[in-house]
Amino acid sequence: MYVETRVRVRYAETDQMGVVYYANYLVWMEVARVEYCRSRGFNYKDMEAQDGVFLAVVEARCRYHYPARFDQEVVIRTSLAEANPRLVSFAYQMQVSSRTIATGETKHVFCDREMKPTRLPQKYYPTFGISHRAAK
Amino acid sequence: MYVETRVRVRYAETDQMGVVYYANYLVWMEVARVEYCRSRGFNYKDMEAQDGVFLAVVEARCRYHYPARFDQEVVIRTSLAEANPRLVSFAYQMQVSSRTIATGETKHVFCDREMKPTRLPQKYYPTFGISHRAAK
Amino acid sequence: MYVETRVRVRYAETDQMGVVYYANYLVWMEVARVEYCRSRGFNYKDMEAQDGVFLAVVEARCRYHYPARFDQEVVIRTSLAEANPRLVSFAYQMQVSSRTIATGETKHVFCDREMKPTRLPQKYYPTFGISHRAAK
Amino acid sequence: MYVETRVRVRYAETDQMGVVYYANYLVWMEVARVEYCRSRGFNYKDMEAQDGVFLAVVEARCRYHYPARFDQEVVIRTSLAEANPRLVSFAYQMQVSSRTIATGETKHVFCDREMKPTRLPQKYYPTFGISHRAAK
């Protein structure tokens, strides 16, 4: 199961090689991640504001297959790769006109305002497909 | 009186025109502003952390005279244009090899954690050259 | 006459004050400018690629009225403030939930690949509402 | 053998979690990579301008151990992990006050202006520690 998000390449995101600067793919992954959560009925902003729970990234990886260029529409397919009450990881496939331009993964731990690891509140288990039994 | 700060143009800061993307000059102004404060014996980070006082920008302006390019060293001369306990404004001159490439100004108000306007704590008056008499 | 563009605030665009970092408003203005051109039947990318004509910014200005926050939808109303075959300026009004959060202007000159000023090709006059008579 | 580069965390690089946004570590890796090349007597800018040879990233990875915060000085230790006339990979260790905050790797292929893979010109072999014998 994946969720699709679309971003249009901004001029700001290009570099003098005439293509998208490599760090910006991680920004797109974040945009896609937020959309993934929203599509699952879960607002990331609210979890931060109401529960004081943050998703802190512990690892990010991207493989660049083909350059993205200004004004292209990039489709990002986001799926959940792993989830338990302590960590969650996402996988991303980025396409332009049906050609895969990049793939990536990010791994996150749930943490509190002091950036200490915490457990995901149970009410959010369904968002991440975590069963209450498995979470024990 | 001005304070000099140097930044080297990052690849990330260029765009497909082969020059520095225009919004990045505002990032350099921020770097220069922090250095200006530091050179006056004042740590911006501490004011935020200890006093809960923030410098919220209310206006920014930049004139672009000549493009900056990757790997060039940009010298930013920062000076105080106006200061009182409610607002402060800075002026910036940016140069590459003695040629002025851009000039800019930013205007800020002091505010608290809730982004409400506040007055600068008196201990910081000297940093901004505010006299106690004038501040009343 | 204005053209509306919408952007959703990215996490990447916030700073530790909990609001959008000030330089990012200039990125949104660029996104809005490209959309303005597209809505006038003009593709900015093509002008660069086919005609070798670029819009080089010579001045940018932004007034910040109210902070924008993560995940908010920002509506940008873009209009043409001035246009002739040598320069064009745009005005921007940025709103969140009908409240104006910022206003800005950018001024640009047309230039060639070597960043030298040039004249806008006549075929693009209609996009910018330039009459052939006035342009002489 | 590693080369050290120092960057001071910019306000622009933080996000509303109060720490450095994760994509910015890749920007620092780029800054460190350019410095690595410079320290080896090789100017990356010149290779692009004079030889039309670019380093296109094909993979990037970062592990985040501890958050970096505004105004901290980050020391980046860059070393060559692998190099031959077609590709090169770098490893990065990022520290704040001797604590490792992140580690990363990037893999690059040499390519021409059309983004097609090419071979590194022989004059640059010493920079990357490539022996002429091994390169055949």
Side-chain angles (χ1 to χ4, degrees):
Chain A
M1 206 285 296
Y2 60 78
V3 170
E4 272 193 13
T5 307
R6 283 155 200 273
V7 295
R8 190 178 282 275
V9 177
R10 300 172 171 187
Y11 209 91
E13 293 170 337
T14 62
D15 65 25
Q16 70 179 44
M17 220 183 282
V19 300
V20 172
Y21 183 71
Y22 83 130
N24 292 321
Y25 290 75
L26 272 66
V27 177
W28 297 346
M29 292 186 207
E30 169 244 304
V31 171
R33 200 153 65 226
V34 170
E35 282 306 305
Y36 178 93
C37 291
R38 196 192 319 280
S39 79
R40 302 296 304 255
F42 157 72
N43 190 305
Y44 180 69
K45 184 178 52 176
D46 294 345
M47 185 173 78
E48 278 201 1
Q50 296 169 13
D51 300 281
V53 174
F54 297 79
L55 262 182
V57 64
V58 289
E59 187 169 348
R61 189 175 188 174
C62 191
R63 277 164 300 276
Y64 307 86
H65 301 304
Y66 203 81
R69 294 178 186 276
F70 170 57
D71 212 40
Q72 288 181 331
E73 191 181 59
V74 181
V75 178
I76 309 157
R77 294 182 169 173
T78 307
S79 55
L80 207 59
E82 187 188 358
N84 66 53
R86 300 221 172 265
L87 71 84
V88 59
S89 63
F90 294 95
Y92 313 84
Q93 190 190 28
M94 289 164 263
Q95 297 189 322
V96 171
S97 308
S98 305
R99 186 209 303 245
T100 298
I101 58 159
T103 56
E105 301 91 41
T106 56
K107 189 181 287 187
H108 310 257
V109 292
F110 298 105
C111 66
D112 62 21
R113 287 187 208 285
E114 281 71 43
M115 301 292 288
K116 297 241 181 296
T118 187
R119 290 173 71 90
L120 179 70
Q122 290 205 5
K123 63 179 170 181
Y124 296 123
Y125 281 16
T127 300
F128 297 106
I130 302 172
S131 72
H132 288 268
R133 181 180 294 265
K136 282 177 188 164
Chain B
M1 205 286 296
Y2 60 77
V3 170
E4 273 192 12
T5 308
R6 284 155 200 273
V7 294
R8 189 178 282 275
V9 177
R10 300 173 173 188
Y11 210 92
E13 294 170 338
T14 63
D15 66 23
Q16 70 177 44
M17 220 183 279
V19 301
V20 172
Y21 184 72
Y22 83 131
N24 293 321
Y25 290 74
L26 273 66
V27 176
W28 297 345
M29 292 186 207
E30 169 244 304
V31 171
R33 199 153 67 227
V34 170
E35 281 305 306
Y36 179 92
C37 292
R38 197 193 318 279
S39 78
R40 304 295 305 252
F42 157 71
N43 190 306
Y44 180 68
K45 184 178 52 174
D46 294 345
M47 186 174 77
E48 278 201 3
Q50 295 168 14
D51 300 280
V53 173
F54 297 79
L55 264 182
V57 64
V58 291
E59 186 168 349
R61 190 174 188 174
C62 190
R63 279 165 300 276
Y64 307 86
H65 301 304
Y66 202 80
R69 293 178 186 275
F70 169 58
D71 212 39
Q72 288 180 331
E73 191 182 56
V74 181
V75 177
I76 310 157
R77 292 181 171 175
T78 308
S79 56
L80 208 57
E82 185 187 359
N84 67 52
R86 300 222 172 267
L87 71 82
V88 60
S89 63
F90 295 95
Y92 312 85
Q93 190 190 27
M94 290 164 265
Q95 297 190 323
V96 170
S97 310
S98 306
R99 187 209 300 247
T100 298
I101 59 159
T103 56
E105 300 90 41
T106 57
K107 188 179 289 186
H108 310 257
V109 292
F110 297 104
C111 68
D112 62 19
R113 289 188 207 284
E114 280 71 44
M115 301 293 285
K116 298 242 181 296
T118 187
R119 289 174 72 90
L120 180 68
Q122 290 206 5
K123 63 179 169 181
Y124 297 121
Y125 281 16
T127 301
F128 297 107
I130 302 171
S131 72
H132 288 269
R133 180 180 294 264
K136 282 176 190 165
Chain C
M1 205 284 297
Y2 60 79
V3 170
E4 273 192 14
T5 308
R6 283 155 200 273
V7 295
R8 190 178 282 274
V9 177
R10 300 172 173 188
Y11 209 91
E13 294 170 338
T14 63
D15 65 23
Q16 70 177 43
M17 218 183 284
V19 300
V20 172
Y21 183 72
Y22 82 132
N24 292 320
Y25 291 74
L26 273 67
V27 176
W28 297 346
M29 292 188 207
E30 169 244 303
V31 171
R33 200 153 66 228
V34 170
E35 281 306 305
Y36 179 92
C37 292
R38 197 194 317 280
S39 79
R40 303 296 303 255
F42 157 72
N43 190 305
Y44 179 68
K45 184 179 51 174
D46 294 345
M47 186 174 77
E48 279 201 1
Q50 295 169 15
D51 300 280
V53 174
F54 297 78
L55 264 180
V57 63
V58 290
E59 186 169 347
R61 189 174 188 174
C62 190
R63 278 166 300 276
Y64 307 86
H65 301 302
Y66 202 81
R69 293 178 186 275
F70 169 57
D71 211 41
Q72 288 181 331
E73 192 182 55
V74 181
V75 177
I76 310 157
R77 293 181 170 174
T78 307
S79 56
L80 208 58
E82 186 187 359
N84 67 52
R86 300 222 172 264
L87 71 83
V88 59
S89 62
F90 295 95
Y92 313 85
Q93 189 190 29
M94 290 164 263
Q95 297 189 322
V96 170
S97 308
S98 307
R99 186 209 300 248
T100 297
I101 58 159
T103 57
E105 301 91 41
T106 57
K107 188 180 290 188
H108 310 257
V109 292
F110 298 105
C111 67
D112 62 19
R113 288 187 208 284
E114 280 70 45
M115 302 293 285
K116 298 242 182 294
T118 188
R119 289 175 71 90
L120 180 69
Q122 290 206 6
K123 64 179 169 181
Y124 297 122
Y125 281 16
T127 301
F128 297 106
I130 303 171
S131 72
H132 288 268
R133 178 179 297 265
K136 282 176 192 165
Chain D
M1 207 284 297
Y2 61 78
V3 169
E4 272 193 12
T5 308
R6 282 156 201 274
V7 295
R8 190 178 281 275
V9 177
R10 301 172 171 188
Y11 210 91
E13 294 170 337
T14 62
D15 65 23
Q16 70 177 43
M17 220 184 280
V19 299
V20 172
Y21 183 71
Y22 83 131
N24 293 320
Y25 290 74
L26 273 66
V27 176
W28 297 345
M29 292 187 208
E30 170 243 303
V31 171
R33 200 154 63 228
V34 169
E35 281 306 305
Y36 179 93
C37 292
R38 195 192 319 279
S39 78
R40 302 297 303 254
F42 157 74
N43 191 306
Y44 180 69
K45 185 178 52 176
D46 294 344
M47 186 174 77
E48 279 201 1
Q50 296 168 13
D51 300 281
V53 173
F54 297 78
L55 263 182
V57 64
V58 290
E59 185 168 348
R61 190 175 187 174
C62 191
R63 277 166 300 275
Y64 307 86
H65 300 305
Y66 203 81
R69 293 178 186 275
F70 170 56
D71 212 38
Q72 288 181 330
E73 191 182 55
V74 181
V75 177
I76 310 157
R77 295 181 169 174
T78 308
S79 55
L80 207 57
E82 187 186 359
N84 66 54
R86 301 222 171 264
L87 71 84
V88 59
S89 62
F90 295 95
Y92 313 84
Q93 190 190 27
M94 290 164 262
Q95 296 189 323
V96 171
S97 310
S98 306
R99 187 208 303 245
T100 298
I101 58 159
T103 56
E105 300 92 41
T106 57
K107 190 180 287 187
H108 310 257
V109 292
F110 298 105
C111 67
D112 62 20
R113 288 188 208 284
E114 280 70 44
M115 299 293 285
K116 297 243 182 295
T118 188
R119 289 174 71 91
L120 179 70
Q122 290 206 4
K123 63 178 169 181
Y124 297 122
Y125 281 16
T127 301
F128 297 107
I130 303 172
S131 71
H132 288 268
R133 181 180 292 265
K136 282 178 189 166

